[in-house]
Amino acid sequence: MTTKNATAQAERRIAAADWDALAGELDAYGGALTPQLLTPAQCADIAALYEKEELFRTTIDMARYRFGSGQYRYFHHELPEPVAALRAAFYPHLLTIARDWAARLGRPAPWPDTLEEWLDRCHEAGQDRSAQILLRYEAGDWNALHRDVFGDMLFPLQVVIGLDEHGTDYTGGEFLLVEQRPRAQSRGTTQVLQQGHGLIFTTRDRPVATKRGWSAGAMRHGVSTVRSGRRHALGLVFHDAA
């Protein structure tokens, strides 16, 4: 299958997902697992990009910055075609949810209809560095709980796509979401990121219904310790970094 055909296939699969059900999962938990979007061969092709240093603007050693343990790389703006196409295909579906969340929380919804226009606004505000990432975890690696907030220009949802097969290529390494609840203990959820599937999750918070209306439930995400093997994931962020 050519790259063009493979990308079109992924776009069709994103469009064919049950977006009402995904929106419901995001409302309830702050995260929602998509159907399979990529074949194992397509996943392997994207994971192999990690070795092509010319595709990336920088490499982050998580232990150095006390982010956990492991490594990830930020792509240049000239994204490989499959990565760019996946990001573009997700945006209009996530935009509907983002605008609904903003309305419930009484927040501005500054996101235009197209991803290109939104990124232009990010760049005009000084957030002009690509935030698309390819992550690699070895046995013993993990990612501390955090939020991918790089400035005032923020898109409230992002996506991570699993590129290796859990239980075969690696064990452990579950995706973590932790919600900080007011006047109560935090609530955590875990998700095995199956190969070729995407996990949509909140960048910062989600709307939570209360007796007084809607409030923002603050959330962070991370990755549990990889017990064995190697875990790759593709991170799609819909705002750029300062």
Side-chain angles (χ1 to χ4, degrees):
M1 180 180 293
T2 66
T3 299
K4 182 177 181 179
N5 288 340
T7 299
Q9 183 184 75
E11 291 172 340
R12 288 194 297 271
R13 288 176 175 173
I14 290 171
D18 185 343
W19 282 97
D20 288 339
L22 291 173
E25 287 280 303
L26 285 162
D27 279 350
Y29 304 109
L33 191 67
T34 75
Q36 186 175 2
L37 306 174
L38 300 171
T39 66
Q42 292 163 356
C43 290
D45 287 344
I46 294 175
L49 298 176
Y50 202 89
E51 305 300 337
K52 298 183 178 181
E53 294 188 20
E54 67 275 11
L55 297 177
F56 303 95
R57 65 173 177 85
T58 192
T59 299
I60 301 297
D61 183 333
M62 286 191 273
R64 177 183 176 187
Y65 296 98
R66 303 187 71 180
F67 294 163
S69 176
Q71 193 179 83
Y72 58 87
R73 289 179 162 170
Y74 285 107
F75 284 99
H76 289 297
H77 279 301
E78 296 74 24
L79 296 171
E81 196 271 346
V83 178
L86 285 165
R87 189 188 190 204
F90 265 111
Y91 181 79
H93 302 285
L94 300 182
L95 179 61
T96 300
I97 300 170
R99 288 172 171 171
D100 174 58
W101 281 16
R104 279 189 266 170
L105 292 171
R107 291 175 174 171
W111 315 289
D113 291 340
T114 68
L115 178 60
E116 292 77 11
E117 186 180 353
W118 168 238
L119 294 178
D120 285 343
R121 294 184 188 182
C122 289
H123 298 174
E124 290 168 2
Q127 290 179 216
D128 57 2
R129 295 191 299 164
S130 172
Q132 312 315 299
I133 57 176
L134 194 55
L135 304 103
R136 172 181 285 179
Y137 299 86
E138 307 280 358
D141 289 342
W142 56 284
N143 195 350
L145 294 173
H146 66 284
R147 299 184 182 98
D148 295 313
V149 176
F150 304 123
D152 293 335
M153 306 299 283
L154 173 74
F155 194 80
L157 296 160
Q158 57 196 91
V159 180
V160 61
I161 298 175
L163 301 177
D164 298 301
E165 185 176 356
H166 186 268
T168 300
D169 298 318
Y170 72 98
T171 61
E174 295 85 2
F175 191 88
L176 307 174
L177 276 171
V178 175
E179 180 177 1
Q180 298 170 258
R181 300 185 298 162
R183 300 176 299 280
Q185 297 292 330
S186 297
R187 180 181 73 163
T189 59
T190 64
Q191 179 67 62
V192 171
L193 194 56
Q194 299 289 358
Q195 187 179 42
H197 292 251
L199 181 71
I200 307 166
F201 61 98
T202 176
T203 302
R204 180 177 59 187
D205 51 29
R206 69 180 182 91
V208 177
T210 70
K211 293 180 180 179
R212 298 180 179 180
W214 294 97
S215 65
M219 300 191 72
R220 295 181 294 165
H221 65 275
V223 175
S224 71
T225 303
V226 174
R227 300 298 184 91
S228 64
R230 175 181 282 179
R231 177 189 187 274
H232 292 91
L234 173 66
L236 302 175
V237 180
F238 297 86
H239 50 265
D240 280 344

